[in-house]
């Protein structure tokens, strides 16, 4: 078995040899994170009898093995460790027997501090684990899988490992990727400050215009730097009705108000992790008081109960408002502002002030767009239709100087377009740039796909490089501007009705909708392409009519067929 | 011994006898057993805790449970383990019939122990003390 051509690396943590014996006898499609220096696989090793380096037997050996194999994909962890006390992680309030019985849980806790998202398969079943404390530790850990009845069934265990590793691979692909720091010294300082402040217990405040990447900084940099094992939770305070904010933050118990249920709030969901309160400036005054008290007391209560619950989160607040002005204008409590540690606030610069990073960001976004489904599927379809072999990925190149023999597909952006983008002021910041490139790349790829299907694009080298049209990018920038002339309602009679039909990909759905638009306009204009062009485009009429005719054909529509259909319906 | 202690002892039986005795047994197909798997099977059946046979470990861990309340599954496990001990020489030789019979019985023991544990159904708090069931 291999996932993406690489054998998953497995670390076995067990006080005995049962699991490693089984794995070496029956699960040979993996590599193993042993503590041995030899290159040989264990089952072919001359020294295998009595060897104690095949896996980790306790926490100390787990640390050694992971230091030697930082590329470990999954850990198989036993639950019960019958070891002498000096080799056990002793848990507070537990006797020796219980510490042995739950040593796997203790190891898991330590593991989480250093490796928050390393998948762990706990070699036990939920029935054996029906102990309150263990259950609580596992409930908050989304990267733990119980082997259950598969514990010693090699075939099932192999499938389980495969699923866990595949899930992790998908999860990593889903992640927006590492934070892009770029080249500017301003960002380098921001990075140092963010990582240093993350390691403290103090709250942090992030300032920045919309779209500058405050949430990404909180998730990808601050949360990771905290080293906290709990989850990252974000709540957009501006998106919650003011009367529901308290329930969202603190949780509720039945009877708190009409319809209240037993529900955890964000503070509980983020327990042991990081909580991002986005748009903190919109927090209603009464909730500001509750938040202040909670921060002071390091505890909170759910709505409708008296029980104090510990507040165990790294608090990050983000805003694009000037909190200092809000304090002066009495819209934000001064004491809460002070408690949020404003002296150590971080300011994310707008994109127009870091244009040196524009090219790097563009390259990152083009690669990222096609890393995820369903857009990756469209790229795969294009590569298949174009007869392009090799890994499915996209990259950005300047001009047409791309390596025509490189793998994947290159989107070529002209120097003229680049200089236009460098002159733009980017009011929507990084988010606007990402949307622009996503739209441009998708629309261009769609046209390129039609090109290869109709045989208009020949030669592998030409098919590997797809130029991003300058005019398209300018049009998209113009359409995205909010300070331009507003689009009025469509003229009377200039509308169509669409029947939504789900497809496997967004592009499939869009294509279906586009076909309907063209079919209905064809019907409404009696097949007059000039009239259709007038309904859809501005500018030079004859050129537009030709473009509409071309697009009509690209969509697989045939005028003769539609005319015949109209006649038969009359 | 209360219900919670009984469940703890049952958990120990599931872990230290049921799970371990059936480790290799679950992976033996219809084909003749390979030498590495035979070594593992012998270890599971006759050196379960590194020293004692599975029947001996079972007798030790089941004794307090049986003293509190005898049960049919205990008798059935004892019978199966006795049979496994009886065919030890044939299993050690790698006799195909004996190996498959022992494997079938080992899986049945695991199933019986898991059922008994699930039927006991009391949740256990780790703060409550019990004797360590694991000894090597």
């Amino acid at each position: 078995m291999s996932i993406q051509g690489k054998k998953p690396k497995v670390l076995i943590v067990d006080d005995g040899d049962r699991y490693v014996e089984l794995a070496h006898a029956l699960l040979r499609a993996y590599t193993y994170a042993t503590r041995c220096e030899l290159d040989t696989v264990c089952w072919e090793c001359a020294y295998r009898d009595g060897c104690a380096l095949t896996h980790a037997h306790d926490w100390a050996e787990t640390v050694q093995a992971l230091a030697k194999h930082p590329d470990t994909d999954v850990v198989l962890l036993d639950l019960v460790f019958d070891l002498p006390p000096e080799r056990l992680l002793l848990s507070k309030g537990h006797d020796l027997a219980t510490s042995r019985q739950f040593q796997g849980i203790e190891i898991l806790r330590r593991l989480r501090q250093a490796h928050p998202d390393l998948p762990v398969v706990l070699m036990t079943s939920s029935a054996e684990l029906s102990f309150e404390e263990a259950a609580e530790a596992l409930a908050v850990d989304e990267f733990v899988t119980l082997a259950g009845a598969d514990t010693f069934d090699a075939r099932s265990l192999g499938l389980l490992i495969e699923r866990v590793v595949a899930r992790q691979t998908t999860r990593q692909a889903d992640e927006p990727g590492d934070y892009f720091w770029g080249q500017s010294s301003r960002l380098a300082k921001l990075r140092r400050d963010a990582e240093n402040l993350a390691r403290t217990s103090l709250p942090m405040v992030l300032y920045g215009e919309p779209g500058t990447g405050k949430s990404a900084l909180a998730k990808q940099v601050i949360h990771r730097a905290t080293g906290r094992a709990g989850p990252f939770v974000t709540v957009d305070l501006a998106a919650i009705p003011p009367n529901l904010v308290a329930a969202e933050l603190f949780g509720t118990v039945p009877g708190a108000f009409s319809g209240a249920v037993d529900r955890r709030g964000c503070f509980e969901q983020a327990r042991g992790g990081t909580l991002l309160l986005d748009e903190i400036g919109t927090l209603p005054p009464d909730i500001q008081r509750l938040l202040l008290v909670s921060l002071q007391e390091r505890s909170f209560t759910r709505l409708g109960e008296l029980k104090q619950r510990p507040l165990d989160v790294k608090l990050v607040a983000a805003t694009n408002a000037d909190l200092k002005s809000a304090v002066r204008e009495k819209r934000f409590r001064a004491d809460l502002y002070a408690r949020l540690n404003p002296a150590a606030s971080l300011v994310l610069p707008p994109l127009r002030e870091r244009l040196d990073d524009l090219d790097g960001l563009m390259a990152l976004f083009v690669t990222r767009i096609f890393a995820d489904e369903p857009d990756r599927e469209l790229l795969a379809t294009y590569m298949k239709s174009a007869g392009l072999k090799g890994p499915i990925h996209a990259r950005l190149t300047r001009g047409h100087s791309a390596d025509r023999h490189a793998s994947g597909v290159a989107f070529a952006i002209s120097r003229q377009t680049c200089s236009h983008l460098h002159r733009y002021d980017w009011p929507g910041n990084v988010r606007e740039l990402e949307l622009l490139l996503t739209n441009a790349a998708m629309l261009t790829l769609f046209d390129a796909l039609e090109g290869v299907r109709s045989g208009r694009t020949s030669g592998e080298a030409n098919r590997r490089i797809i130029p991003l049209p300058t005019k398209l990018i300018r049009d998209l920038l113009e359409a995205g501007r909010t300070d331009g002339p507003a689009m009025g309602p469509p003229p009377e009679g200039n509308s169509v009705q669409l029947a939504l039909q789900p497809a496997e990909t967004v592009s499939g759905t869009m294509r279906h909708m586009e076909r309907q638009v063209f079919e209905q306009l064809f019907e409404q204009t009696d097949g007059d392409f000039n009239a259709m062009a007038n309904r859809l485009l501005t500018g030079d009429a004859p050129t537009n009519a030709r473009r509409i005719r071309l697009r009509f054909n690209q969509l697989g529509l045939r005028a003769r067929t539609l005319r015949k259909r109209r006649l038969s319906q009359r | 011994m209360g219900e919670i202690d009984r469940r703890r002892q049952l958990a120990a039986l599931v872990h230290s006898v049921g799970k371990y005795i059936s480790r290799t047994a679950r992976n033996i197909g219809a084909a003749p057993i390979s030498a590495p798997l035979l070594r593992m099977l012998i270890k599971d059946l006759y050196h379960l805790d590194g020293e004692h046979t599975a029947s001996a470990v079972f007798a030790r861990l089941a004794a307090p449970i049986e003293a509190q309340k005898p049960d049919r599954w205990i008798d059935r496990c004892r019978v199966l383990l006795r049979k496994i001990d009886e065919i030890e020489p044939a299993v050690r030789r790698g006799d195909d019939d004996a190996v498959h019979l022992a494997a079938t019985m080992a899986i049945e023991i695991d199933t019986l122990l898991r059922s008994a544990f699930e039927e006991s159904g009391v949740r256990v708090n780790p703060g409550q003390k019990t004797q360590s069931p694991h000894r090597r």
Side-chain angles (χ1 to χ4, degrees), chain A residues 16 18-19 21-22 26 80 82 95 97-98 101-102 123 125 127-128 130-133 152-154, chain B residues 7-8 14-15 19-20 23 26-27 37 40 43 48 114 117 123-124 126 129-130 132 134-136:
Chain A
R18 285 187 173 87
Y19 292 110
E21 274 185 335
L22 186 81
L26 295 164
V80 181
D82 195 16
D95 59 10
T98 311
Q101 201 159 2
F102 290 100
M123 307 299 278
S125 66
E128 290 167 79
S130 57
F131 305 103
E132 305 286 0
E133 193 173 290
F152 276 137
D153 184 327
Chain B
R7 186 163 166 79
R8 274 191 174 275
V14 171
H15 182 270
K19 204 158 90 174
Y20 289 170
R23 171 187 71 152
R26 290 190 179 280
N27 297 289
L37 280 186
M40 286 163 58
K43 209 165 157 181
L48 187 66
R114 281 181 192 279
F117 180 75
R123 287 180 75 81
V124 182
K129 293 179 182 178
T130 185
S132 171
H134 309 290
R135 212 171 55 191
R136 285 207 290 197

Side-chain angles (χ1 to χ4, degrees), chain A residues 65-188:
Chain A
L66 285 172
K68 189 168 183 299
H69 300 275
D71 55 341
T72 298
D73 291 300
V74 59
V75 175
L76 304 187
L77 175 61
D78 198 6
L79 178 65
V80 181
F81 283 70
D82 195 16
L83 294 171
E86 64 273 18
R87 292 181 63 188
L88 286 172
L89 294 172
L90 296 171
S91 44
K92 224 175 176 179
H94 286 173
D95 59 10
L96 191 58
T98 311
S99 289
R100 284 185 173 131
Q101 201 159 2
F102 290 100
Q103 190 61 194
I105 302 294
E106 283 305 313
I107 290 176
L108 179 64
R109 283 198 178 111
R110 293 286 182 99
L111 203 55
R112 281 294 166 252
Q113 288 166 12
H115 306 273
D117 50 7
L118 177 62
V120 173
V121 175
L122 203 55
M123 307 299 278
T124 187
S125 66
S126 57
E128 290 167 79
L129 254 181
S130 57
F131 305 103
E132 305 286 0
E133 193 173 290
E136 190 181 321
L138 297 175
V140 297
D141 196 328
E142 64 174 301
F143 297 99
V144 163
T145 307
L146 294 187
D150 296 343
T151 297
F152 276 137
D153 184 327
R155 184 188 291 260
S156 305
L157 188 59
L159 290 171
L160 178 66
I161 292 171
E162 210 168 323
R163 279 203 306 274
V164 167
V165 175
R167 197 168 62 204
Q168 184 72 352
T169 308
T170 310
R171 188 179 271 132
Q172 282 164 354
D174 286 342
E175 287 283 322
D178 286 332
Y179 195 79
F180 182 86
W181 288 105
Q183 304 298 318
S184 75
S185 56
R186 197 168 163 191
L187 266 288

Side-chain angles (χ1 to χ4, degrees), chain A residues 121-382:
Chain A
V121 175
L122 203 55
M123 307 299 278
T124 187
S125 66
S126 57
E128 290 167 79
L129 254 181
S130 57
F131 305 103
E132 305 286 0
E133 193 173 290
E136 190 181 321
L138 297 175
V140 297
D141 196 328
E142 64 174 301
F143 297 99
V144 163
T145 307
L146 294 187
D150 296 343
T151 297
F152 276 137
D153 184 327
R155 184 188 291 260
S156 305
L157 188 59
L159 290 171
L160 178 66
I161 292 171
E162 210 168 323
R163 279 203 306 274
V164 167
V165 175
R167 197 168 62 204
Q168 184 72 352
T169 308
T170 310
R171 188 179 271 132
Q172 282 164 354
D174 286 342
E175 287 283 322
D178 286 332
Y179 195 79
F180 182 86
W181 288 105
Q183 304 298 318
S184 75
S185 56
R186 197 168 163 191
L187 266 288
K189 182 178 181 321
L190 180 75
R191 177 183 198 166
R192 271 197 310 277
D193 291 348
E195 289 177 346
N196 289 337
L197 286 167
R199 296 189 189 102
T200 70
S201 61
L202 299 169
M204 294 170 70
V205 185
L206 309 182
Y207 288 99
E209 292 179 10
T212 45
K214 296 185 289 293
S215 298
L217 181 77
K219 183 176 184 181
Q220 295 168 17
V221 180
I222 295 171
H223 177 55
R224 285 183 188 173
T226 62
R228 294 170 68 85
F232 175 84
V233 174
T234 181
V235 53
D236 182 355
L237 296 168
I240 304 169
N243 58 331
L244 296 181
V245 172
E248 188 67 27
L249 290 180
F250 302 104
T252 55
V253 293
F257 50 81
S258 175
V261 293
D262 190 24
R263 184 173 176 276
R264 294 191 309 157
C266 298
F267 282 113
E268 276 177 88
Q269 289 169 35
R271 186 178 166 191
T274 305
L275 175 63
L276 171 65
L277 297 180
D278 204 1
E279 302 298 350
I280 186 92
T282 65
L283 203 62
D286 51 335
I287 314 300
Q288 290 180 28
R289 186 184 54 79
L290 286 177
L291 178 60
L292 173 69
V293 172
S294 301
L295 290 175
Q296 281 171 341
E297 304 296 327
R298 299 296 300 167
S299 66
F300 65 96
T301 54
R302 285 192 192 180
L303 300 191
E305 74 169 3
L306 296 173
K307 182 183 166 187
Q308 292 284 324
R309 296 170 189 265
L311 192 149
D312 176 22
V313 298
K314 172 76 181 179
L315 188 73
V316 182
T319 181
N320 63 351
D322 180 358
L323 284 186
K324 215 182 262 183
S325 301
V327 170
R328 276 198 299 271
E329 293 160 14
K330 311 271 185 217
R331 285 183 286 111
F332 201 83
R333 291 180 69 110
D335 42 11
L336 177 59
Y337 177 70
R339 179 63 66 169
L340 288 175
N341 191 25
S345 57
L346 303 175
V347 181
L348 281 88
L351 184 54
R352 62 182 171 278
E353 290 177 18
R354 53 181 293 213
L355 287 173
D356 287 350
D357 295 331
L358 195 68
D359 293 351
L361 282 165
M362 288 195 295
L364 175 76
F365 291 145
V366 167
T367 304
R368 194 185 283 174
I369 293 161
F370 295 104
D372 296 345
E373 299 297 350
D375 300 336
R376 188 171 186 274
E377 191 182 320
L378 180 66
L379 184 66
T381 306
Y382 171 77

Side-chain angles (χ1 to χ4, degrees), chain A residues 17 48 51 64 75 95 111 168 278 302 316-317 372 404 429 448 482 493 495 498 508 568:
Chain A
D17 293 328
R48 67 183 180 278
C51 174
Q64 286 170 21
V75 175
D95 59 10
L111 203 55
Q168 184 72 352
D278 204 1
R302 285 192 192 180
V316 182
D372 296 345
R404 288 167 188 268
N429 290 299
T482 51
S495 62
L498 299 176
S568 66

